[in-house]
Amino acid sequence: MLIAQISDLHVRPAGALAYGVSETNLSTEHAIHALLRLDPAPDCVLVTGDLTDCGLDEEYALLSGLLARLPMPVYAVPGNHDRREPFRRAFAGAGYLPAQGPLDYAVSCGPVRIVALDSLVPGESHGALGPDTIAFLEAALAAERDAPTLVMLHHPPFACGIGHMDRVGLLEGARELERVVAAHPQVQRVLCGHVHRSIQRLFGGTLCQVAPSVTHQVALDLTPDGPSVFVLEPPGFLLHRFDGGQVVTHTAMTDRAPGPFPFALPDDYPGRRSTPPA
């Protein structure tokens, strides 16, 4: 089975650009088209936060129209740019969100269990996992110990070396999250967004992966005091393939590229061997 992960859409009101530069609505539409082109199609799509730029009802309405084009289930968690109650209203019809409190939930996509955690701190850029969310995670993992599981949240639970992003990372609950994940070996991935780059680190005995953004990317600057800036590098997303044993993850680009081209060499190719090597 195949599970797609997109992140950091930053959908704006119609006609508006994020930070006056990034055409996030168009980029999100391109990401939707990229998912629809996949063969085989994903069995479900995960969205790891910052679905909107300001958490406005207008933004969620536009977002809902875009996501409605996807024929498979879509499961999302809020990011720091989202607002919890508008988010809850926007996804109420999907049936997986709790009616009140943190937007923590657990669902199944085929044999894979998905446990979603709400790291949103209202009005702040950093994230936190409170005691109720950690308790929810423990109970959800204990309930189905034999099911291969993906845990998803917006803020990565580790420092990535991009200083301005680390200062608004998961500032509360990272150690508790790692403790719980380490105690449940069925967790095959911890999936995050927020940093707008593809990043991986071992965490709690498994792999924690940060998805690139389907819009703009955070500049790769590993100096301690680098500026808070973004670049219009190619947008991308992650594909998690489960073959019944382990999860294998691919990074995909949302925009079409030239090709495909065969690896076969023409007869006049420089350096071509006349006979196959021994």
Side-chain angles (χ1 to χ4, degrees), residues 4-10 45-52 74-82 87 105 114-117 119 150-156 190-197 209-214 236-238 240:
Q5 178 192 355
I6 61 176
S7 198
D8 296 273
L9 288 58
H10 290 269
V45 174
L46 310 182
V47 194
T48 45
D50 280 359
L51 284 74
T52 65
V74 176
Y75 303 112
V77 290
N80 53 287
H81 279 257
D82 294 301
F87 186 104
Y105 61 91
I114 298 158
V115 180
L117 306 179
S119 60
L150 307 177
V151 174
M152 70 170 181
L153 68 157
H154 180 61
H155 296 82
V190 176
L191 305 177
C192 309
H194 189 53
V195 188
H196 291 232
R197 299 208 68 86
Q209 290 193 270
V210 181
S213 171
V214 299
F237 59 98
L238 299 181
H240 307 287

Side-chain angles (χ1 to χ4, degrees), residues 63-102:
L63 170 71
S64 295
L66 292 170
L67 295 180
R69 302 180 189 180
L70 296 172
M72 68 287 292
V74 176
Y75 303 112
V77 290
N80 53 287
H81 279 257
D82 294 301
R83 295 182 187 177
R84 189 170 285 123
E85 295 313 316
F87 186 104
R88 198 191 312 269
R89 290 194 296 270
F91 289 94
Y96 58 81
L97 290 179
Q100 58 186 6

Side-chain angles (χ1 to χ4, degrees), residues 5-249:
Q5 178 192 355
I6 61 176
S7 198
D8 296 273
L9 288 58
H10 290 269
V11 167
R12 296 283 288 129
L17 303 179
Y19 307 105
V21 175
S22 182
E23 295 183 290
T24 55
N25 295 4
L26 181 60
S27 296
T28 297
E29 189 165 8
H30 286 183
I32 299 298
H33 290 316
L35 295 175
L36 291 172
R37 290 195 303 268
L38 290 173
D39 185 13
D43 294 277
C44 67
V45 174
L46 310 182
V47 194
T48 45
D50 280 359
L51 284 74
T52 65
D53 199 46
C54 298
L56 304 176
D57 287 323
E58 180 183 358
E59 294 171 334
Y60 285 112
L62 197 155
L63 170 71
S64 295
L66 292 170
L67 295 180
R69 302 180 189 180
L70 296 172
M72 68 287 292
V74 176
Y75 303 112
V77 290
N80 53 287
H81 279 257
D82 294 301
R83 295 182 187 177
R84 189 170 285 123
E85 295 313 316
F87 186 104
R88 198 191 312 269
R89 290 194 296 270
F91 289 94
Y96 58 81
L97 290 179
Q100 58 186 6
L103 299 173
D104 305 321
Y105 61 91
V107 294
S108 292
C109 182
V112 177
R113 189 77 167 154
I114 298 158
V115 180
L117 306 179
D118 181 351
S119 60
L120 169 62
V121 178
E124 301 291 343
S125 295
H126 72 268
L129 298 177
D132 289 347
T133 292
I134 295 297
F136 172 85
L137 173 64
E138 287 189 286
L141 295 178
E144 297 198 28
R145 292 183 178 274
D146 295 329
T149 300
L150 307 177
V151 174
M152 70 170 181
L153 68 157
H154 180 61
H155 296 82
F158 62 88
C160 69
I162 301 176
H164 66 96
M165 295 305 298
D166 288 338
R167 288 189 285 274
V168 293
L170 189 70
L171 301 188
E172 298 176 30
R175 290 184 179 179
E176 292 81 358
L177 174 63
E178 187 166 23
R179 171 185 60 79
V180 175
V181 168
H184 295 85
Q186 78 266 32
V187 177
Q188 295 204 10
R189 289 288 190 280
V190 176
L191 305 177
C192 309
H194 189 53
V195 188
H196 291 232
R197 299 208 68 86
S198 181
I199 305 169
Q200 304 84 37
R201 203 203 85 166
L202 291 176
F203 179 84
T206 189
L207 188 63
C208 182
Q209 290 193 270
V210 181
S213 171
V214 299
T215 58
H216 48 274
Q217 311 305 315
V218 166
L220 180 57
D221 185 343
L222 300 179
T223 58
D225 299 312
S228 177
V229 295
F230 66 91
V231 290
L232 299 180
E233 290 178 355
F237 59 98
L238 299 181
L239 286 172
H240 307 287
R241 181 179 180 271
F242 178 71
D243 63 2
Q246 295 292 320
V247 174
V248 175
T249 300

